[in-house]
């Protein structure tokens, strides 16, 4: 990255002021989270919500290959919310901000009649011309993901079933405190390795669809190649669920889905290993539409299954 | 302004990408508006809400001396809101964005159980070192405002009383479709004339307090110098209200409050006249605390009066 971003004026003015690094483009995104739609206060702690509010936003930056620079927070609070809740929320939001080197530079706290509302806007910096959009995938490219899939869905299912025992802490944590591999997105962009990239917020079935549509290509995913952690499979077994379905449709994994020309893939593992990130080839770009390939080679369309992030009103 | 901002990637990716002008700093702000707290759907049309959502945000940029560049919109919609409402909201939001040359580069539309929620984050650009904060006022500076004060409060009071007749259209419009003088803020910053600046969102009593506190100074305002439009005075007469109170405490005027050294004030009118903006000297920086000076020279503390933007739950 060319130079370092600097906050020249933080909170307590009409706007924050930032000196962004020269020769960069600015990535800009916003997420709005509403109680009872995206989370429930009964089941999501203030601390987890604070962490997740920032994490899901920097995930969007990482998926462009942009380094987080700054965030502003809008918080709507019903009168029933206590000061301790707000403190825990901000403490963990700040933890996440430090983890991702994203300065909290301002915000707006307002009343909300019934529901907690969290609006987070983030800015990131990416070297000029190096950003990875969803639109660059080409026929023949490999389809890759970072990390493992379905862990967040497993965690959510365990929490919903009241079975979040100690052996499953890793998947519960994947759901409550996702750690998007933002540095991996930045590295892939700076190295010019990925042709297209998106973060896995809705599940690969849905998100690969977005990427393929924007790139004007089709793509296939091989079911047996989906990286699913052993603890996720064990959670599926314990609950009588299908781990492949979680991996395809579960969402909220906040891993990266990217495409790379096959002759360049060998540069990916040495790039990501120092960051503690593993990339797995799960399919390839080509053909018509987005398909799931079975071990016998047969294919069926892979479409969003309407999986909900949770069973709330939505 | 050094160069022009360019949107290199708009909606429909993980984040928008912007090429900001060289040698600028980036101003970054967010506002969160919640139905029943900041507006009511019964009395605020979708079109007016769309306009105002963008206008109040670019007002924050103008108060730093920053030109609007881009905005992202988060919209939370209850199931009862119809498509026509959303279309009218976005149509007028886009009108405001064009008026202020602010590109709408993305957003997030989500469900909300009961209330419409609008989160707007904006980015602006200001020549490096030229931004005007709230902190630069010095003893002896003149306190100035743009435009007139109290018009928005007059419009709101007329609407609430069901007396928004044709003769009062100007003040009703000041409330429903404020046009913050963003270009005036940019001009004052580029010319290096203002020592401190803030936008009048809560009323001069409150906002001069913010500016004075951040600058570590006191200030006085002369009641008879407050610029109050004739139509605002007529509305006050019609409703039996005090126009001075509206000017001091009414809020939502979205004019600029700024300080300027006395020997430099003569440069202000010729700078702002081409923009159609009039600046009025209303007081001066100095002394202890923020005071209101009566025509007889006596002073009393000028503190926020707890005026509410409207009589809703809050």
């Amino acid at each position: 990255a060319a130079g370092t971003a600097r906050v020249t004026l933080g909170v307590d003015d009409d706007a924050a002021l930032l000196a962004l690094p020269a020769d960069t483009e600015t990535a800009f995104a916003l997420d709005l989270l509403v109680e009872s739609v995206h989370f429930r206060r009964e089941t999501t702690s203030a601390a987890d919500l604070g962490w997740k509010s920032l994490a899901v936003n920097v995930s969007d930056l990482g998926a462009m290959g942009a380094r987080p620079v700054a965030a502003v927070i809008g918080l709507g609070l019903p009168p029933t919310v206590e000061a301790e809740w707000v403190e825990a929320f901000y403490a963990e939001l700040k933890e996440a901000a430090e983890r991702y080197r994203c300065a909290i530079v301002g915000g707006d706290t307002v009343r909300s009649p019934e529901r907690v509302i969290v609006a987070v806007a983030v800015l990131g910096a990416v070297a000029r011309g190096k950003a990875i959009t969803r639109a660059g995938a080409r026929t023949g490219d490999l389809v890759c993901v970072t990390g493992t899939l379905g862990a967040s869905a497993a965690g959510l299912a365990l929490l919903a079933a009241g079975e979040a025992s100690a052996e499953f802490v890793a998947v519960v944590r994947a759901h409550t405190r996702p750690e998007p591999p933002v540095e991996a997105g930045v590295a892939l962009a700076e190295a010019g390795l990925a042709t297209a990239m998106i973060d896995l917020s809705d599940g690969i079935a849905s998100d690969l669809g977005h990427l393929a549509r924007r790139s004007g290509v089709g793509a296939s995913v091989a079911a047996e190649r989906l990286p699913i952690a052993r603890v996720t499979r064990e959670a599926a077994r314990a609950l009588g669920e299908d781990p492949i379905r979680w991996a395809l449709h579960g969402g909220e994994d906040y891993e990266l889905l990217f495409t790379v020309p096959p002759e360049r893939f060998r540069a990916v593992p040495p790039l990501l290993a120092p960051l503690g990130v593993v990339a797995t080839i799960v399919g390839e770009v080509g053909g018509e539409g987005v398909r799931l390939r079975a071990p016998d080679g047969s294919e069926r369309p892979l479409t969003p299954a309407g999986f909900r992030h949770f069973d709330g009103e939505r």
Side-chain angles (χ1 to χ4, degrees), chain A:
Chain A
T4 308
R6 206 161 39 84
V7 176
T8 50
L9 182 71
V11 293
D12 205 18
D13 216 298
D14 294 287
L17 282 178
L18 307 164
L20 297 174
D23 302 320
T24 60
E25 289 173 273
T26 304
F28 185 20
L30 177 143
D31 265 315
L32 183 58
L33 304 177
V34 183
E35 183 181 346
S36 307
V37 177
H38 302 96
F39 61 92
R40 290 175 178 279
R41 252 187 297 158
E42 297 77 23
T43 50
T44 300
S45 73
D48 288 342
L49 183 64
W51 177 277
K52 212 162 167 175
S53 298
L54 193 87
V56 303
N57 273 276
V58 295
S59 181
D60 282 327
L61 296 178
M64 304 298 299
R67 276 178 211 281
V69 171
V72 289
I73 316 297
L75 188 59
L77 294 175
T80 53
V81 173
E82 302 196 341
E84 291 72 28
W85 190 97
V86 180
E87 278 160 30
F89 172 87
Y90 271 118
E92 281 304 293
L93 188 141
K94 281 176 190 162
E95 279 288 312
E98 277 170 29
R99 157 72 181 81
Y100 287 103
R101 298 174 186 230
C102 183
I104 306 295
V105 295
D108 193 17
T109 301
V110 303
R111 270 210 34 191
S112 170
E114 299 91 5
R115 315 281 175 172
V116 170
I117 302 162
V118 186
V120 178
V122 285
L123 283 190
V126 54
R128 204 158 283 228
K130 289 287 195 180
I132 309 296
T133 73
R134 299 176 177 178
R138 296 291 167 262
T139 294
D141 284 353
L142 302 174
V143 176
C144 308
V145 298
T146 59
T148 71
L149 304 181
S152 177
L156 176 60
L158 289 164
L159 287 167
E163 308 225 4
S165 55
E167 62 182 312
F168 295 127
V169 65
V171 293
V172 169
R173 196 174 163 89
H175 179 70
T176 57
R177 284 177 66 109
E179 284 202 46
V182 172
E183 298 82 0
V186 172
L188 287 165
E190 287 183 350
L193 281 176
T195 52
M197 189 153 59
I198 187 173
D199 74 328
L200 288 167
S201 53
D202 296 329
I204 193 171
S206 175
D207 294 321
L208 180 57
H210 296 314
L211 185 149
R213 194 161 46 249
R214 283 264 293 148
S215 293
V217 297
S220 66
V221 165
E224 80 279 10
R225 289 192 165 197
L226 295 170
I228 301 176
R230 195 172 59 180
V231 58
T232 301
R233 295 188 187 277
E234 284 165 2
R237 198 155 35 235
L239 296 173
E241 293 279 351
D242 177 7
I244 304 270
R245 184 178 146 77
W246 282 344
L248 293 171
H249 304 289
E252 293 208 283
D253 280 318
Y254 299 108
E255 296 291 347
L256 292 168
L257 172 69
F258 62 98
T259 55
V260 60
E263 69 278 11
R264 306 208 64 194
F265 180 79
R266 68 175 183 281
V268 171
L271 182 75
L272 300 189
L275 305 172
V277 174
V278 171
T280 305
I281 300 168
V282 297
E284 65 181 37
V285 177
E288 287 292 311
V290 173
R291 293 108 51 210
L292 183 67
R293 182 177 300 177
D296 67 2
S298 66
E299 291 188 338
R300 65 171 176 84
L302 180 57
T303 51
F307 192 97
R308 294 302 176 221
H309 289 187
F310 75 170
D311 57 355
E313 31 174 316
R314 174 159 173 174

